Amino acid sequence: MAIFHIVSFKTSNPEASLGPLTENLRLLQGSCVNPDTKKPYILDLKGGNVLETEGRNKGMEVVFIMEFENKNDLDYYLYKDPAHEEFKLVLQSSPREVPSADADFGFTSILSIARFRSTLEPGFDMPVHPLIKKAHWVPAILLGVYGLFLVLLTVGTVQRELIFLHNIPIPLFADFDHSEQYGLAPFKARNFALNSTNGVSLGAWHVLPRSVYASSTPFPPKSALSASDFHQAFRDRPTIIYFHGNAGNRAASHRVRSYSSFSNSLDCNVLAIDYRGYGDSTGSPSEQGVLEDARAAFDYVTSFTGIENAEEKVILVGQSLGTGVVSGLGGLLAREAYFRSFLQYPFNSRAALQDVAAPVLLLHAVNDDTIPHTHSSTLFGSLMAPYVTGGDDVEGFEERQYEGWGTVRSFQRGEKGQVIWWEGIHGGHNDLGWAEGTLDLIARVAGLE
């Protein structure tokens, strides 16, 4: 690393002294020779008048910066080089040399150099590190990258990739045939494919309710249960159809914890699907496509329960991106007069939920670092607005605060049912669905108590 030696001079006439000093130092630069290599060792010499305006120059008017390859060369120059000793004798009756600093090149040297202005002939500039010379390009490059990003956001393909993130396989190389590898009980889940529109095949898990699984003989089962056992479970117990968020697949750990909690604590079936393009599902996702996949899952369940029993037997659960899917499907089904809704992490769902004639549950944690929890406040307010009467009163409005857990607000939408919003303190973006307090609220809204 280069070493810089800074020397300053106090003269009676700085302007007149600069020229002779420069000439003498340049002669010195050529005279200082390394005794071993026989080559000059002062790599560079630059200088000028001091532009000190803060009273810290202590009377020094002229400064020079000498560059050495290493500390040994500097020490030889300062204490042993006869050429330097002779130079100092010449200066004894003229301008005085006062060493100011010796430093490895770094911020200290840069700041010191920045105080001086070169008044020498063209080409004799103050030393500037190459990185500093190029630094002015950094803002331009960052601005260019940001501009390119904004342009790319207008491209449909880029938008789709960023919204769905379906090409991020978490977990990698998932073995969907063996759900026990991801935390479910042995043979509690059935892996199968169901058909969606346009020939798309959707990977799916059907997780049995606690009571159905526990009744198997022997228990726990030693082999896979028959498909008919799973079909009968749809008829016997309510089913939560779970629509996950973007990225990953149905075997992601936080999703499996939700399936386990729903099936055990609520004693419900859980049907978890991967949208087209996710997991082992075929096709590529789009807004319309994932809504068609959601409808295919709903139709599959009601093919066993009967469409007339959907209100009592089917509960839609959406998390993150899945909230938008649930809202879109819910709006469609509401116009067909059968729908029960559980909504988690609201995602642009205001218009779709206005038509839903069923209880709605909004869950959102304050410490969600992906979607601001204020989105839930906006959605809750939009659902409540049509029911505000004179004096800002709303039928059945309640607000209850639970220290260390959160705040539960609710109101009644007439015959459409209750809307409940839990603003939790903890849970982040992915860990709400399986928490015990959350499960209690789901049971209350879904009539599973």
Side-chain angles (χ1 to χ4, degrees):
M1 179 179 291
I3 301 294
F4 290 83
H5 175 58
I6 303 174
V7 293
S8 55
F9 298 90
K10 182 177 182 180
T11 70
S12 58
N13 189 339
E15 296 294 337
S17 301
L18 182 58
L21 277 172
T22 302
E23 183 62 29
N24 287 334
L25 283 170
R26 282 186 167 171
L27 291 174
L28 175 65
Q29 181 182 11
S31 301
C32 291
V33 177
N34 187 296
D36 297 324
T37 64
K38 308 302 181 184
K39 295 180 180 180
Y41 58 83
I42 300 178
L43 303 181
D44 197 11
L45 173 69
K46 300 182 188 295
N49 290 328
V50 176
L51 295 180
E52 177 62 63
T53 60
E54 300 177 3
R56 294 180 295 182
N57 60 336
K58 299 181 180 180
M60 302 300 167
E61 297 94 352
V62 182
V63 69
F64 288 87
I65 301 172
M66 309 174 76
E67 181 180 352
F68 298 85
E69 183 176 357
N70 52 57
K71 187 68 164 53
N72 291 335
D73 285 348
L74 174 62
D75 289 342
Y76 180 76
Y77 167 78
L78 291 176
Y79 307 116
K80 297 180 181 180
D81 195 319
H84 183 217
E85 295 299 322
E86 182 179 349
F87 176 74
K88 288 193 289 186
L89 291 175
V90 173
L91 293 177
Q92 284 181 354
S93 58
S94 57
R96 184 159 53 92
E97 177 188 23
V98 181
S100 175
D102 299 315
D104 292 345
F105 193 84
F107 285 110
T108 301
S109 298
I110 294 172
L111 292 174
S112 298
I113 293 168
R115 293 185 183 179
F116 314 128
R117 179 187 65 187
S118 174
T119 58
L120 306 182
E121 66 272 21
F124 197 65
D125 299 323
M126 288 293 98
V128 180
H129 194 277
L131 291 178
I132 301 300
K133 291 182 179 179
K134 298 178 181 179
H136 67 282
W137 286 104
V138 174
I141 293 173
L142 293 177
L143 185 61
V145 171
Y146 180 68
L148 177 61
F149 178 72
L150 293 180
V151 171
L152 289 175
L153 286 180
T154 65
V155 180
T157 302
V158 175
Q159 290 182 22
R160 186 186 66 183
E161 292 294 327
L162 292 177
I163 290 173
F164 294 106
L165 298 177
H166 56 290
N167 288 316
I168 300 178
I170 301 173
L172 289 170
F173 311 112
D175 184 359
F176 296 110
D177 285 326
H178 295 91
S179 58
E180 65 275 7
Q181 295 183 14
Y182 307 101
L184 294 175
F187 307 113
K188 187 179 182 181
R190 173 179 174 243
N191 182 49
F192 68 103
L194 61 88
N195 296 323
S196 186
T197 57
N198 300 318
V200 169
S201 175
L202 304 178
W205 277 349
H206 176 187
V207 184
L208 289 174
R210 179 195 68 250
S211 60
V212 175
Y213 180 68
S215 65
S216 60
T217 304
F219 180 78
K222 295 182 178 180
S223 60
L225 303 179
S226 67
S228 61
D229 291 331
F230 283 87
H231 297 164
Q232 186 60 43
F234 281 135
R235 302 182 185 98
D236 294 340
R237 294 295 303 162
T239 298
I240 288 177
I241 306 179
Y242 184 89
F243 300 102
H244 63 63
N246 62 5
N249 52 57
R250 63 188 183 277
S253 60
H254 64 279
R255 293 165 186 163
V256 174
R257 286 197 296 270
S258 294
Y259 314 153
S260 179
S261 296
F262 295 154
S263 64
N264 288 318
S265 297
L266 302 180
D267 198 22
C268 286
N269 296 282
V270 178
L271 177 64
I273 70 165
D274 275 321
Y275 315 115
R276 59 188 66 199
Y278 288 80
D280 55 349
S281 298
T282 62
S284 182
S286 66
E287 182 177 0
Q288 182 61 33
V290 297
L291 288 176
E292 292 172 357
D293 297 342
R295 181 58 192 262
F298 177 83
D299 290 344
Y300 176 78
V301 175
T302 55
S303 69
F304 300 104
T305 65
I307 196 67
E308 68 279 1
N309 297 316
E311 184 175 353
E312 300 298 327
K313 289 290 189 179
V314 181
I315 306 162
L316 305 183
V317 175
Q319 189 264 340
S320 192
L321 174 70
T323 302
V325 178
V326 165
S327 299
L329 178 61
L332 172 64
L333 297 178
R335 291 187 289 273
E336 299 176 8
Y338 36 82
F339 177 55
R340 183 180 298 273
S341 169
F342 157 53
L343 183 64
Q344 186 178 3
Y345 300 106
F347 178 73
N348 196 25
S349 307
R350 188 185 313 176
L353 288 179
Q354 293 295 341
D355 294 331
V356 173
V360 176
L361 174 61
L362 313 177
L363 303 176
H364 212 146
V366 173
N367 66 340
D368 185 342
D369 57 3
T370 301
I371 300 175
H373 75 282
T374 53
H375 287 203
S376 289
S377 176
T378 301
L379 183 56
F380 183 77
S382 70
L383 291 173
M384 187 168 60
Y387 301 92
V388 176
T389 59
D392 294 333
D393 292 329
V394 178
E395 179 186 355
F397 179 82
E398 293 184 9
E399 178 174 313
R400 298 179 182 178
Q401 295 184 354
Y402 299 86
E403 184 176 356
W405 187 62
T407 302
V408 177
R409 301 174 181 89
S410 62
F411 71 94
Q412 189 69 30
R413 291 198 301 168
E415 295 182 356
K416 289 184 177 180
Q418 197 174 35
V419 175
I420 300 176
W421 168 34
W422 174 54
E423 187 178 30
I425 296 176
H426 307 288
H429 186 64
N430 291 323
D431 296 330
L432 279 180
W434 49 271
E436 286 193 354
T438 300
L439 298 173
D440 293 338
L441 289 173
I442 296 173
R444 172 181 167 184
V445 171
L448 299 175
E449 297 176 309

